PDB file of all heavy atoms in Angstrom:
ATOM      1  N   ARG A 123      31.074 120.977-150.431  1.00 77.00           N
ATOM      2  CA  ARG A 123      30.392 122.330-150.433  1.00 77.00           C
ATOM      3  C   ARG A 123      29.039 122.196-149.706  1.00 77.00           C
ATOM      4  O   ARG A 123      28.630 123.117-148.952  1.00 77.00           O
ATOM      5  CB  ARG A 123      30.172 122.677-151.858  1.00 77.00           C
ATOM      6  CG  ARG A 123      31.379 123.210-152.567  1.00 77.00           C
ATOM      7  CD  ARG A 123      31.163 124.392-153.530  1.00 77.00           C
ATOM      8  NE  ARG A 123      32.338 124.794-154.165  1.00 77.00           N
ATOM      9  CZ  ARG A 123      32.832 124.168-155.298  1.00 77.00           C
ATOM     10  NH1 ARG A 123      32.258 123.150-155.792  1.00 77.00           N
ATOM     11  NH2 ARG A 123      33.927 124.559-155.831  1.00 77.00           N
ATOM     12  N   ARG A 124      28.346 121.111-150.004  1.00 77.00           N
ATOM     13  CA  ARG A 124      27.034 120.900-149.372  1.00 77.00           C
ATOM     14  C   ARG A 124      27.179 120.860-147.836  1.00 77.00           C
ATOM     15  O   ARG A 124      26.320 121.431-147.146  1.00 77.00           O
ATOM     16  CB  ARG A 124      26.395 119.637-149.927  1.00 77.00           C
ATOM     17  CG  ARG A 124      24.986 119.375-149.513  1.00 77.00           C
ATOM     18  CD  ARG A 124      24.392 118.345-150.334  1.00 77.00           C
ATOM     19  NE  ARG A 124      23.556 117.388-149.540  1.00 77.00           N
ATOM     20  CZ  ARG A 124      23.101 116.243-150.027  1.00 77.00           C
ATOM     21  NH1 ARG A 124      23.405 115.874-151.171  1.00 77.00           N
ATOM     22  NH2 ARG A 124      22.393 115.473-149.216  1.00 77.00           N
ATOM     23  N   LEU A 125      28.157 120.131-147.367  1.00 80.00           N
ATOM     24  CA  LEU A 125      28.333 120.025-145.966  1.00 80.00           C
ATOM     25  C   LEU A 125      28.594 121.417-145.343  1.00 80.00           C
ATOM     26  O   LEU A 125      28.192 121.705-144.248  1.00 80.00           O
ATOM     27  CB  LEU A 125      29.528 119.111-145.650  1.00 80.00           C
ATOM     28  CG  LEU A 125      29.263 117.588-145.913  1.00 80.00           C
ATOM     29  CD1 LEU A 125      30.570 116.822-145.831  1.00 80.00           C
ATOM     30  CD2 LEU A 125      28.242 117.040-144.902  1.00 80.00           C
ATOM     31  N   ARG A 126      29.335 122.181-146.077  1.00 74.00           N
ATOM     32  CA  ARG A 126      29.668 123.585-145.611  1.00 74.00           C
ATOM     33  C   ARG A 126      28.458 124.475-145.531  1.00 74.00           C
ATOM     34  O   ARG A 126      28.405 125.299-144.744  1.00 74.00           O
ATOM     35  CB  ARG A 126      30.761 124.192-146.450  1.00 74.00           C
ATOM     36  CG  ARG A 126      32.134 123.713-146.160  1.00 74.00           C
ATOM     37  CD  ARG A 126      32.571 124.317-144.761  1.00 74.00           C
ATOM     38  NE  ARG A 126      33.874 123.695-144.456  1.00 74.00           N
ATOM     39  CZ  ARG A 126      33.941 122.713-143.534  1.00 74.00           C
ATOM     40  NH1 ARG A 126      32.880 122.162-143.054  1.00 74.00           N
ATOM     41  NH2 ARG A 126      35.171 122.195-143.266  1.00 74.00           N
ATOM     42  N   ARG A 127      27.535 124.195-146.393  1.00 68.00           N
ATOM     43  CA  ARG A 127      26.315 125.031-146.455  1.00 68.00           C
ATOM     44  C   ARG A 127      25.393 124.628-145.394  1.00 68.00           C
ATOM     45  O   ARG A 127      24.596 125.429-144.871  1.00 68.00           O
ATOM     46  CB  ARG A 127      25.624 124.933-147.768  1.00 68.00           C
ATOM     47  CG  ARG A 127      26.207 125.822-148.869  1.00 68.00           C
ATOM     48  CD  ARG A 127      25.180 125.986-150.028  1.00 68.00           C
ATOM     49  NE  ARG A 127      24.824 124.696-150.603  1.00 68.00           N
ATOM     50  CZ  ARG A 127      25.510 124.131-151.597  1.00 68.00           C
ATOM     51  NH1 ARG A 127      26.478 124.787-152.080  1.00 68.00           N
ATOM     52  NH2 ARG A 127      25.119 123.012-152.071  1.00 68.00           N
ATOM     53  N   ASP A 128      25.389 123.344-144.979  1.00 68.00           N
ATOM     54  CA  ASP A 128      24.424 122.831-144.009  1.00 68.00           C
ATOM     55  C   ASP A 128      24.759 123.331-142.636  1.00 68.00           C
ATOM     56  O   ASP A 128      25.942 123.268-142.179  1.00 68.00           O
ATOM     57  CB  ASP A 128      24.457 121.242-144.053  1.00 68.00           C
ATOM     58  CG  ASP A 128      23.333 120.732-143.165  1.00 68.00           C
ATOM     59  OD1 ASP A 128      22.638 121.471-142.492  1.00 68.00           O
ATOM     60  OD2 ASP A 128      23.120 119.478-143.202  1.00 68.00           O
ATOM     61  N   GLU A 129      23.762 123.726-141.983  1.00 62.00           N
ATOM     62  CA  GLU A 129      23.975 124.351-140.590  1.00 62.00           C
ATOM     63  C   GLU A 129      24.576 123.347-139.661  1.00 62.00           C
ATOM     64  O   GLU A 129      25.517 123.621-138.856  1.00 62.00           O
ATOM     65  CB  GLU A 129      22.625 124.777-140.033  1.00 62.00           C
ATOM     66  CG  GLU A 129      22.724 125.611-138.787  1.00 62.00           C
ATOM     67  CD  GLU A 129      23.352 126.920-138.938  1.00 62.00           C
ATOM     68  OE1 GLU A 129      23.170 127.520-140.091  1.00 62.00           O
ATOM     69  OE2 GLU A 129      24.012 127.394-138.045  1.00 62.00           O
ATOM     70  N   MET A 130      24.127 122.059-139.691  1.00 66.00           N
ATOM     71  CA  MET A 130      24.652 121.011-138.837  1.00 66.00           C
ATOM     72  C   MET A 130      26.099 120.720-138.991  1.00 66.00           C
ATOM     73  O   MET A 130      26.784 120.560-137.987  1.00 66.00           O
ATOM     74  CB  MET A 130      23.875 119.682-139.101  1.00 66.00           C
ATOM     75  CG  MET A 130      22.366 119.778-138.799  1.00 66.00           C
ATOM     76  SD  MET A 130      22.065 119.255-137.117  1.00 66.00           S
ATOM     77  CE  MET A 130      22.193 117.442-137.323  1.00 66.00           C
ATOM     78  N   THR A 131      26.543 120.742-140.214  1.00 75.00           N
ATOM     79  CA  THR A 131      27.895 120.211-140.436  1.00 75.00           C
ATOM     80  C   THR A 131      28.887 121.315-140.800  1.00 75.00           C
ATOM     81  O   THR A 131      29.995 121.102-141.219  1.00 75.00           O
ATOM     82  CB  THR A 131      27.890 119.208-141.553  1.00 75.00           C
ATOM     83  OG1 THR A 131      27.259 119.785-142.690  1.00 75.00           O
ATOM     84  CG2 THR A 131      27.111 117.976-141.226  1.00 75.00           C
ATOM     85  N   ARG A 132      28.400 122.555-140.712  1.00 71.00           N
ATOM     86  CA  ARG A 132      29.226 123.693-141.163  1.00 71.00           C
ATOM     87  C   ARG A 132      30.625 123.705-140.546  1.00 71.00           C
ATOM     88  O   ARG A 132      31.591 123.993-141.177  1.00 71.00           O
ATOM     89  CB  ARG A 132      28.530 125.005-140.829  1.00 71.00           C
ATOM     90  CG  ARG A 132      29.348 126.222-141.143  1.00 71.00           C
ATOM     91  CD  ARG A 132      28.485 127.442-141.245  1.00 71.00           C
ATOM     92  NE  ARG A 132      27.556 127.237-142.355  1.00 71.00           N
ATOM     93  CZ  ARG A 132      26.338 127.797-142.372  1.00 71.00           C
ATOM     94  NH1 ARG A 132      25.917 128.531-141.412  1.00 71.00           N
ATOM     95  NH2 ARG A 132      25.552 127.580-143.429  1.00 71.00           N
ATOM     96  N   GLU A 133      30.728 123.305-139.275  1.00 74.00           N
ATOM     97  CA  GLU A 133      32.015 123.465-138.603  1.00 74.00           C
ATOM     98  C   GLU A 133      32.723 122.131-138.400  1.00 74.00           C
ATOM     99  O   GLU A 133      33.648 122.111-137.665  1.00 74.00           O
ATOM    100  CB  GLU A 133      31.808 124.179-137.304  1.00 74.00           C
ATOM    101  CG  GLU A 133      31.144 125.566-137.568  1.00 74.00           C
ATOM    102  CD  GLU A 133      30.933 126.371-136.273  1.00 74.00           C
ATOM    103  OE1 GLU A 133      31.402 125.876-135.200  1.00 74.00           O
ATOM    104  OE2 GLU A 133      30.337 127.404-136.313  1.00 74.00           O
ATOM    105  N   VAL A 134      32.244 121.134-139.014  1.00 82.00           N
ATOM    106  CA  VAL A 134      32.948 119.774-138.886  1.00 82.00           C
ATOM    107  C   VAL A 134      34.097 119.777-139.923  1.00 82.00           C
ATOM    108  O   VAL A 134      33.918 120.070-141.077  1.00 82.00           O
ATOM    109  CB  VAL A 134      31.973 118.643-139.222  1.00 82.00           C
ATOM    110  CG1 VAL A 134      32.732 117.361-139.154  1.00 82.00           C
ATOM    111  CG2 VAL A 134      30.789 118.673-138.295  1.00 82.00           C
ATOM    112  N   PRO A 135      35.302 119.585-139.361  1.00 83.00           N
ATOM    113  CA  PRO A 135      36.472 119.651-140.318  1.00 83.00           C
ATOM    114  C   PRO A 135      36.360 118.514-141.300  1.00 83.00           C
ATOM    115  O   PRO A 135      35.905 117.457-140.992  1.00 83.00           O
ATOM    116  CB  PRO A 135      37.646 119.462-139.304  1.00 83.00           C
ATOM    117  CG  PRO A 135      37.126 118.914-138.102  1.00 83.00           C
ATOM    118  CD  PRO A 135      35.699 119.439-138.025  1.00 83.00           C
ATOM    119  N   ILE A 136      36.835 118.719-142.514  1.00 85.00           N
ATOM    120  CA  ILE A 136      36.821 117.785-143.608  1.00 85.00           C
ATOM    121  C   ILE A 136      38.238 117.587-144.119  1.00 85.00           C
ATOM    122  O   ILE A 136      38.962 118.544-144.320  1.00 85.00           O
ATOM    123  CB  ILE A 136      35.944 118.292-144.741  1.00 85.00           C
ATOM    124  CG1 ILE A 136      34.513 118.457-144.255  1.00 85.00           C
ATOM    125  CG2 ILE A 136      36.009 117.306-145.956  1.00 85.00           C
ATOM    126  CD1 ILE A 136      33.587 119.005-145.352  1.00 85.00           C
ATOM    127  N   ILE A 137      38.640 116.313-144.243  1.00 85.00           N
ATOM    128  CA  ILE A 137      39.898 115.984-144.891  1.00 85.00           C
ATOM    129  C   ILE A 137      39.503 115.158-146.121  1.00 85.00           C
ATOM    130  O   ILE A 137      38.814 114.213-146.024  1.00 85.00           O
ATOM    131  CB  ILE A 137      40.799 115.161-143.957  1.00 85.00           C
ATOM    132  CG1 ILE A 137      41.192 115.967-142.745  1.00 85.00           C
ATOM    133  CG2 ILE A 137      42.064 114.649-144.723  1.00 85.00           C
ATOM    134  CD1 ILE A 137      42.097 115.219-141.794  1.00 85.00           C
ATOM    135  N   MET A 138      40.118 115.579-147.253  1.00 82.00           N
ATOM    136  CA  MET A 138      39.775 114.901-148.465  1.00 82.00           C
ATOM    137  C   MET A 138      40.881 113.869-148.779  1.00 82.00           C
ATOM    138  O   MET A 138      42.103 114.135-148.588  1.00 82.00           O
ATOM    139  CB  MET A 138      39.533 115.861-149.639  1.00 82.00           C
ATOM    140  CG  MET A 138      38.404 116.803-149.397  1.00 82.00           C
ATOM    141  SD  MET A 138      37.528 117.149-150.959  1.00 82.00           S
ATOM    142  CE  MET A 138      36.797 115.623-151.340  1.00 82.00           C
ATOM    143  N   LEU A 139      40.422 112.743-149.355  1.00 81.00           N
ATOM    144  CA  LEU A 139      41.337 111.743-149.825  1.00 81.00           C
ATOM    145  C   LEU A 139      41.415 111.775-151.305  1.00 81.00           C
ATOM    146  O   LEU A 139      40.368 111.532-151.968  1.00 81.00           O
ATOM    147  CB  LEU A 139      40.835 110.295-149.349  1.00 81.00           C
ATOM    148  CG  LEU A 139      40.440 110.257-147.891  1.00 81.00           C
ATOM    149  CD1 LEU A 139      39.871 108.794-147.614  1.00 81.00           C
ATOM    150  CD2 LEU A 139      41.640 110.523-146.937  1.00 81.00           C
ATOM    151  N   THR A 140      42.529 112.171-151.843  1.00 74.00           N
ATOM    152  CA  THR A 140      42.567 112.368-153.297  1.00 74.00           C
ATOM    153  C   THR A 140      43.576 111.485-153.921  1.00 74.00           C
ATOM    154  O   THR A 140      44.550 111.105-153.304  1.00 74.00           O
ATOM    155  CB  THR A 140      42.855 113.826-153.666  1.00 74.00           C
ATOM    156  OG1 THR A 140      44.319 114.041-153.650  1.00 74.00           O
ATOM    157  CG2 THR A 140      42.301 114.803-152.571  1.00 74.00           C
ATOM    158  N   ALA A 141      43.405 111.274-155.177  1.00 65.00           N
ATOM    159  CA  ALA A 141      44.455 110.610-155.969  1.00 65.00           C
ATOM    160  C   ALA A 141      45.438 111.680-156.321  1.00 65.00           C
ATOM    161  O   ALA A 141      45.217 112.851-156.269  1.00 65.00           O
ATOM    162  CB  ALA A 141      43.854 110.002-157.267  1.00 65.00           C
ATOM    163  N   ARG A 142      46.655 111.147-156.725  1.00 53.00           N
ATOM    164  CA  ARG A 142      47.748 112.105-157.030  1.00 53.00           C
ATOM    165  C   ARG A 142      47.389 112.928-158.245  1.00 53.00           C
ATOM    166  O   ARG A 142      46.702 112.524-159.170  1.00 53.00           O
ATOM    167  CB  ARG A 142      49.051 111.241-157.240  1.00 53.00           C
ATOM    168  CG  ARG A 142      50.240 112.045-156.966  1.00 53.00           C
ATOM    169  CD  ARG A 142      51.380 111.107-156.966  1.00 53.00           C
ATOM    170  NE  ARG A 142      51.618 110.377-155.755  1.00 53.00           N
ATOM    171  CZ  ARG A 142      52.223 110.941-154.623  1.00 53.00           C
ATOM    172  NH1 ARG A 142      52.611 112.152-154.720  1.00 53.00           N
ATOM    173  NH2 ARG A 142      52.345 110.258-153.531  1.00 53.00           N
ATOM    174  N   GLY A 143      47.818 114.162-158.148  1.00 51.00           N
ATOM    175  CA  GLY A 143      47.638 115.044-159.389  1.00 51.00           C
ATOM    176  C   GLY A 143      46.466 116.042-159.194  1.00 51.00           C
ATOM    177  O   GLY A 143      45.927 116.140-158.047  1.00 51.00           O
ATOM    178  N   GLU A 144      46.090 116.584-160.221  1.00 48.00           N
ATOM    179  CA  GLU A 144      44.921 117.525-160.260  1.00 48.00           C
ATOM    180  C   GLU A 144      45.051 118.655-159.267  1.00 48.00           C
ATOM    181  O   GLU A 144      44.215 118.839-158.377  1.00 48.00           O
ATOM    182  CB  GLU A 144      43.672 116.711-159.966  1.00 48.00           C
ATOM    183  CG  GLU A 144      43.103 116.055-161.153  1.00 48.00           C
ATOM    184  CD  GLU A 144      42.874 117.006-162.266  1.00 48.00           C
ATOM    185  OE1 GLU A 144      42.341 118.087-162.032  1.00 48.00           O
ATOM    186  OE2 GLU A 144      43.248 116.645-163.402  1.00 48.00           O
ATOM    187  N   GLU A 145      46.051 119.460-159.476  1.00 46.00           N
ATOM    188  CA  GLU A 145      46.294 120.597-158.586  1.00 46.00           C
ATOM    189  C   GLU A 145      45.115 121.519-158.604  1.00 46.00           C
ATOM    190  O   GLU A 145      44.761 122.068-157.575  1.00 46.00           O
ATOM    191  CB  GLU A 145      47.571 121.303-159.008  1.00 46.00           C
ATOM    192  CG  GLU A 145      48.794 120.490-158.570  1.00 46.00           C
ATOM    193  CD  GLU A 145      50.019 121.319-158.883  1.00 46.00           C
ATOM    194  OE1 GLU A 145      49.904 122.435-159.530  1.00 46.00           O
ATOM    195  OE2 GLU A 145      51.107 120.898-158.512  1.00 46.00           O
ATOM    196  N   ASN A 146      44.641 121.771-159.776  1.00 47.00           N
ATOM    197  CA  ASN A 146      43.555 122.792-159.841  1.00 47.00           C
ATOM    198  C   ASN A 146      42.358 122.395-158.946  1.00 47.00           C
ATOM    199  O   ASN A 146      41.846 123.224-158.236  1.00 47.00           O
ATOM    200  CB  ASN A 146      43.006 122.871-161.293  1.00 47.00           C
ATOM    201  CG  ASN A 146      43.901 123.833-162.133  1.00 47.00           C
ATOM    202  OD1 ASN A 146      44.638 124.612-161.505  1.00 47.00           O
ATOM    203  ND2 ASN A 146      43.702 123.834-163.373  1.00 47.00           N
ATOM    204  N   ASP A 147      42.063 121.118-158.949  1.00 54.00           N
ATOM    205  CA  ASP A 147      40.977 120.674-158.145  1.00 54.00           C
ATOM    206  C   ASP A 147      41.277 120.771-156.655  1.00 54.00           C
ATOM    207  O   ASP A 147      40.446 121.065-155.865  1.00 54.00           O
ATOM    208  CB  ASP A 147      40.522 119.264-158.474  1.00 54.00           C
ATOM    209  CG  ASP A 147      39.920 119.279-159.915  1.00 54.00           C
ATOM    210  OD1 ASP A 147      39.528 120.338-160.410  1.00 54.00           O
ATOM    211  OD2 ASP A 147      39.766 118.208-160.482  1.00 54.00           O
ATOM    212  N   ARG A 148      42.519 120.522-156.328  1.00 53.00           N
ATOM    213  CA  ARG A 148      42.883 120.596-154.964  1.00 53.00           C
ATOM    214  C   ARG A 148      42.717 122.056-154.485  1.00 53.00           C
ATOM    215  O   ARG A 148      42.277 122.256-153.386  1.00 53.00           O
ATOM    216  CB  ARG A 148      44.327 120.195-154.799  1.00 53.00           C
ATOM    217  CG  ARG A 148      44.509 118.672-154.901  1.00 53.00           C
ATOM    218  CD  ARG A 148      45.961 118.325-155.119  1.00 53.00           C
ATOM    219  NE  ARG A 148      46.755 118.547-153.926  1.00 53.00           N
ATOM    220  CZ  ARG A 148      48.055 118.519-153.921  1.00 53.00           C
ATOM    221  NH1 ARG A 148      48.703 118.212-155.052  1.00 53.00           N
ATOM    222  NH2 ARG A 148      48.737 118.768-152.852  1.00 53.00           N
ATOM    223  N   VAL A 149      43.076 122.979-155.358  1.00 54.00           N
ATOM    224  CA  VAL A 149      42.819 124.400-155.023  1.00 54.00           C
ATOM    225  C   VAL A 149      41.384 124.635-154.765  1.00 54.00           C
ATOM    226  O   VAL A 149      40.959 125.188-153.755  1.00 54.00           O
ATOM    227  CB  VAL A 149      43.354 125.306-156.085  1.00 54.00           C
ATOM    228  CG1 VAL A 149      43.049 126.737-155.746  1.00 54.00           C
ATOM    229  CG2 VAL A 149      44.849 125.157-156.185  1.00 54.00           C
ATOM    230  N   SER A 150      40.533 124.190-155.645  1.00 58.00           N
ATOM    231  CA  SER A 150      39.101 124.410-155.478  1.00 58.00           C
ATOM    232  C   SER A 150      38.622 123.835-154.137  1.00 58.00           C
ATOM    233  O   SER A 150      37.821 124.445-153.507  1.00 58.00           O
ATOM    234  CB  SER A 150      38.285 123.694-156.649  1.00 58.00           C
ATOM    235  OG  SER A 150      39.032 123.689-157.793  1.00 58.00           O
ATOM    236  N   GLY A 151      39.196 122.777-153.753  1.00 55.00           N
ATOM    237  CA  GLY A 151      38.811 122.182-152.487  1.00 55.00           C
ATOM    238  C   GLY A 151      39.182 123.036-151.319  1.00 55.00           C
ATOM    239  O   GLY A 151      38.371 123.301-150.470  1.00 55.00           O
ATOM    240  N   LEU A 152      40.355 123.554-151.327  1.00 56.00           N
ATOM    241  CA  LEU A 152      40.842 124.408-150.220  1.00 56.00           C
ATOM    242  C   LEU A 152      39.904 125.606-150.201  1.00 56.00           C
ATOM    243  O   LEU A 152      39.515 126.114-149.112  1.00 56.00           O
ATOM    244  CB  LEU A 152      42.235 124.732-150.452  1.00 56.00           C
ATOM    245  CG  LEU A 152      43.317 123.754-150.084  1.00 56.00           C
ATOM    246  CD1 LEU A 152      44.687 124.220-150.506  1.00 56.00           C
ATOM    247  CD2 LEU A 152      43.262 123.413-148.641  1.00 56.00           C
ATOM    248  N   GLU A 153      39.576 126.117-151.381  1.00 55.00           N
ATOM    249  CA  GLU A 153      38.676 127.328-151.375  1.00 55.00           C
ATOM    250  C   GLU A 153      37.288 126.976-150.978  1.00 55.00           C
ATOM    251  O   GLU A 153      36.602 127.848-150.468  1.00 55.00           O
ATOM    252  CB  GLU A 153      38.697 127.897-152.802  1.00 55.00           C
ATOM    253  CG  GLU A 153      40.012 128.574-153.121  1.00 55.00           C
ATOM    254  CD  GLU A 153      40.119 129.011-154.618  1.00 55.00           C
ATOM    255  OE1 GLU A 153      39.274 128.692-155.348  1.00 55.00           O
ATOM    256  OE2 GLU A 153      41.101 129.776-154.848  1.00 55.00           O
ATOM    257  N   ALA A 154      36.920 125.715-151.173  1.00 61.00           N
ATOM    258  CA  ALA A 154      35.528 125.306-150.710  1.00 61.00           C
ATOM    259  C   ALA A 154      35.432 125.083-149.272  1.00 61.00           C
ATOM    260  O   ALA A 154      34.383 124.834-148.749  1.00 61.00           O
ATOM    261  CB  ALA A 154      35.095 124.054-151.530  1.00 61.00           C
ATOM    262  N   GLY A 155      36.503 125.191-148.587  1.00 63.00           N
ATOM    263  CA  GLY A 155      36.454 125.026-147.082  1.00 63.00           C
ATOM    264  C   GLY A 155      36.982 123.718-146.571  1.00 63.00           C
ATOM    265  O   GLY A 155      36.830 123.441-145.448  1.00 63.00           O
ATOM    266  N   VAL A 156      37.576 122.915-147.490  1.00 74.00           N
ATOM    267  CA  VAL A 156      38.182 121.710-147.003  1.00 74.00           C
ATOM    268  C   VAL A 156      39.360 122.007-146.100  1.00 74.00           C
ATOM    269  O   VAL A 156      40.123 122.922-146.469  1.00 74.00           O
ATOM    270  CB  VAL A 156      38.544 120.813-148.211  1.00 74.00           C
ATOM    271  CG1 VAL A 156      39.502 119.642-147.750  1.00 74.00           C
ATOM    272  CG2 VAL A 156      37.342 120.227-148.872  1.00 74.00           C
ATOM    273  N   ASP A 157      39.541 121.295-145.074  1.00 73.00           N
ATOM    274  CA  ASP A 157      40.589 121.639-144.137  1.00 73.00           C
ATOM    275  C   ASP A 157      41.973 121.124-144.520  1.00 73.00           C
ATOM    276  O   ASP A 157      42.944 121.707-144.253  1.00 73.00           O
ATOM    277  CB  ASP A 157      40.234 121.160-142.693  1.00 73.00           C
ATOM    278  CG  ASP A 157      39.011 121.929-142.218  1.00 73.00           C
ATOM    279  OD1 ASP A 157      37.936 121.577-142.539  1.00 73.00           O
ATOM    280  OD2 ASP A 157      39.323 122.865-141.400  1.00 73.00           O
ATOM    281  N   ASP A 158      41.984 119.941-145.132  1.00 73.00           N
ATOM    282  CA  ASP A 158      43.323 119.363-145.518  1.00 73.00           C
ATOM    283  C   ASP A 158      43.090 118.270-146.571  1.00 73.00           C
ATOM    284  O   ASP A 158      41.951 117.921-146.836  1.00 73.00           O
ATOM    285  CB  ASP A 158      44.001 118.856-144.307  1.00 73.00           C
ATOM    286  CG  ASP A 158      45.544 118.877-144.499  1.00 73.00           C
ATOM    287  OD1 ASP A 158      45.944 119.064-145.635  1.00 73.00           O
ATOM    288  OD2 ASP A 158      46.234 118.720-143.474  1.00 73.00           O
ATOM    289  N   TYR A 159      44.242 117.865-147.070  1.00 72.00           N
ATOM    290  CA  TYR A 159      44.177 116.783-148.097  1.00 72.00           C
ATOM    291  C   TYR A 159      45.112 115.646-147.682  1.00 72.00           C
ATOM    292  O   TYR A 159      46.180 115.918-147.049  1.00 72.00           O
ATOM    293  CB  TYR A 159      44.682 117.367-149.419  1.00 72.00           C
ATOM    294  CG  TYR A 159      43.625 118.060-150.202  1.00 72.00           C
ATOM    295  CD1 TYR A 159      43.324 119.319-149.982  1.00 72.00           C
ATOM    296  CD2 TYR A 159      42.853 117.307-151.116  1.00 72.00           C
ATOM    297  CE1 TYR A 159      42.288 119.984-150.622  1.00 72.00           C
ATOM    298  CE2 TYR A 159      41.847 117.930-151.808  1.00 72.00           C
ATOM    299  CZ  TYR A 159      41.631 119.272-151.604  1.00 72.00           C
ATOM    300  OH  TYR A 159      40.548 119.861-152.254  1.00 72.00           O
ATOM    301  N   VAL A 160      44.784 114.467-148.052  1.00 74.00           N
ATOM    302  CA  VAL A 160      45.773 113.377-147.944  1.00 74.00           C
ATOM    303  C   VAL A 160      45.803 112.737-149.320  1.00 74.00           C
ATOM    304  O   VAL A 160      44.745 112.453-149.853  1.00 74.00           O
ATOM    305  CB  VAL A 160      45.437 112.400-146.863  1.00 74.00           C
ATOM    306  CG1 VAL A 160      46.527 111.338-146.751  1.00 74.00           C
ATOM    307  CG2 VAL A 160      45.291 113.047-145.528  1.00 74.00           C
ATOM    308  N   VAL A 161      46.948 112.597-149.886  1.00 67.00           N
ATOM    309  CA  VAL A 161      47.047 112.062-151.215  1.00 67.00           C
ATOM    310  C   VAL A 161      47.317 110.535-151.168  1.00 67.00           C
ATOM    311  O   VAL A 161      48.154 110.105-150.507  1.00 67.00           O
ATOM    312  CB  VAL A 161      48.231 112.741-151.979  1.00 67.00           C
ATOM    313  CG1 VAL A 161      48.386 112.178-153.402  1.00 67.00           C
ATOM    314  CG2 VAL A 161      48.009 114.252-152.078  1.00 67.00           C
TER     315      VAL A 161
END
Side-chain angles (χ1 to χ4, degrees):
Chain A
R123 287 216 181 83
R124 186 167 138 193
L125 289 169
R126 279 289 172 263
R127 276 198 302 272
D128 187 355
E129 188 69 32
M130 294 270 281
T131 55
R132 173 160 299 151
E133 300 181 8
V134 179
I136 298 176
I137 296 180
M138 296 216 69
L139 312 176
T140 87
R142 208 170 274 282
E144 279 304 317
E145 285 186 351
N146 275 347
D147 290 344
R148 288 164 66 191
V149 173
S150 327
L152 285 173
E153 288 172 350
V156 167
D157 291 80
D158 207 347
Y159 278 86
V160 182
V161 178

